[in-house]
């Protein structure tokens, strides 16, 4: 599966770069930056494995890769966020599940003693909320610097931001419930 994942990463990177080159004159700065960022973002799991020595299985890496493709390439580049009403909510919900998966992976890579399902669940949920908040900070900053409206502030005020964070929170809650009842909670 490692080869499949690497193949998807390479194909997506090449596609993004070619799309950028072929459409450069029709793209705004924000779209150019999204396309450029896809390439390093796709390699984050591999970098985490090598630099931080995290044990991240190939299936989790594949889910992460697909998430980046659906969130950045399909959602932003091809403007699916604007075309499909709940696409943004679905992506943020999935981000909550994915962030929770990485939080649990991080916990499992540590040698903490006295872990319980309750403390793990709290860590998982707070990690998902922290990542969701940091993402919204990033969107806000990018909007201000690049003149965009990724947060839909002009049309919805803080509703989009709060909905995004709530969706990520609900994704982490679902993950935590499944994790907690995988075996009986302590």
């Amino acid at each position: 599966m490692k080869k499949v994942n690497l193949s998807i990463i390479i194909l997506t990177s090449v596609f993004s770069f070619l799309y950028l080159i072929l459409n450069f004159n029709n793209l705004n700065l924000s779209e150019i930056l999204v396309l450029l960022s896809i390439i390093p973002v796709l390699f984050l799991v591999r970098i985490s494995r090598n630099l931080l020595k995290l044990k991240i299985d190939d299936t989790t890496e594949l889910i992460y890769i697909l998430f980046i493709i659906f969130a950045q390439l399909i959602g932003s580049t091809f403007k699916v966020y604007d075309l499909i009403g709940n696409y943004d909510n679905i992506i943020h919900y999935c981000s909550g599940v994915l962030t929770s998966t990485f939080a649990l992976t991080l916990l499992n890579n540590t040698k903490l003693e006295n872990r319980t399902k309750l403390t793990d669940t709290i860590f998982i949920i707070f990690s998902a909320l922290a990542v969701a908040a940091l993402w919204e900070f990033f969107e806000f900053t990018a909007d201000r610097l690049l003149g965009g409206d990724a947060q839909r502030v002009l049309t919805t005020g803080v509703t989009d931001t709060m909905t995004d964070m709530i969706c990520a929170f609900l994704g982490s809650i679902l993950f935590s419930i499944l994790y907690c009842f995988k075996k009986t909670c302590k």
Side-chain angles (χ1 to χ4, degrees):
M1 184 173 247
K2 280 188 189 324
K3 289 182 180 180
V4 170
N5 290 354
L6 184 58
S7 296
I8 295 170
I9 289 171
I10 291 170
L11 287 171
T12 304
S13 297
V14 168
F15 177 83
S16 297
F17 190 71
L18 288 174
Y19 186 87
L20 173 64
I21 291 171
L22 295 172
N23 295 287
F24 190 81
N25 292 332
N26 300 323
L27 300 171
N28 63 40
L29 180 58
S30 179
E31 293 165 332
I32 292 168
L33 292 175
V34 166
L35 285 165
L36 287 174
S37 72
I38 288 172
I39 298 166
V41 169
L42 284 170
F43 283 96
L44 280 180
V45 169
R46 290 180 180 255
I47 292 167
S48 297
R49 278 183 181 152
N50 294 330
L51 290 179
L52 303 175
K53 305 296 183 211
L54 292 178
K55 295 174 188 162
I56 302 170
D57 63 71
D58 294 333
T59 303
T60 302
E61 180 186 37
L62 177 61
I63 292 167
Y64 171 79
I65 292 165
L66 294 174
F67 175 79
I68 296 304
I69 290 169
F70 280 95
Q72 279 189 262
L73 186 63
I74 295 171
S76 294
T77 303
F78 298 117
K79 300 179 180 24
V80 174
Y81 288 117
D82 297 328
L83 298 174
I84 299 174
N86 286 321
Y87 191 80
D88 188 44
N89 295 340
I90 293 166
I91 292 296
H92 281 280
Y93 184 84
C94 291
S95 76
V97 173
L98 187 61
T99 303
S100 297
T101 302
F102 282 112
L104 182 59
T105 298
L106 187 61
L107 280 171
N108 289 337
N109 279 271
T110 63
K111 295 179 180 169
L112 296 174
E113 296 179 19
N114 302 322
R115 279 180 49 197
T116 66
K117 295 274 184 169
L118 179 60
T119 58
D120 286 1
T121 300
I122 291 168
F123 179 79
I124 289 166
I125 292 170
F126 284 159
S127 294
L129 286 172
V131 169
L134 290 171
W135 177 255
E136 295 303 321
F137 293 166
F138 168 77
E139 272 189 354
F140 177 81
T141 303
D143 283 351
R144 291 296 158 254
L145 293 175
L146 302 174
D149 192 26
Q151 293 187 302
R152 311 288 187 253
V153 172
L154 300 176
T155 55
T156 67
V158 297
T159 303
D160 181 72
T161 299
M162 291 308 300
T163 302
D164 291 350
M165 292 179 69
I166 290 167
C167 287
F169 174 68
L170 292 174
S172 72
I173 294 291
L174 173 66
F175 180 92
S176 296
I177 290 169
L178 295 174
Y179 169 71
C180 196
F181 289 104
K182 181 177 169 185
K183 294 182 180 173
T184 307
C185 282
K186 290 184 183 180

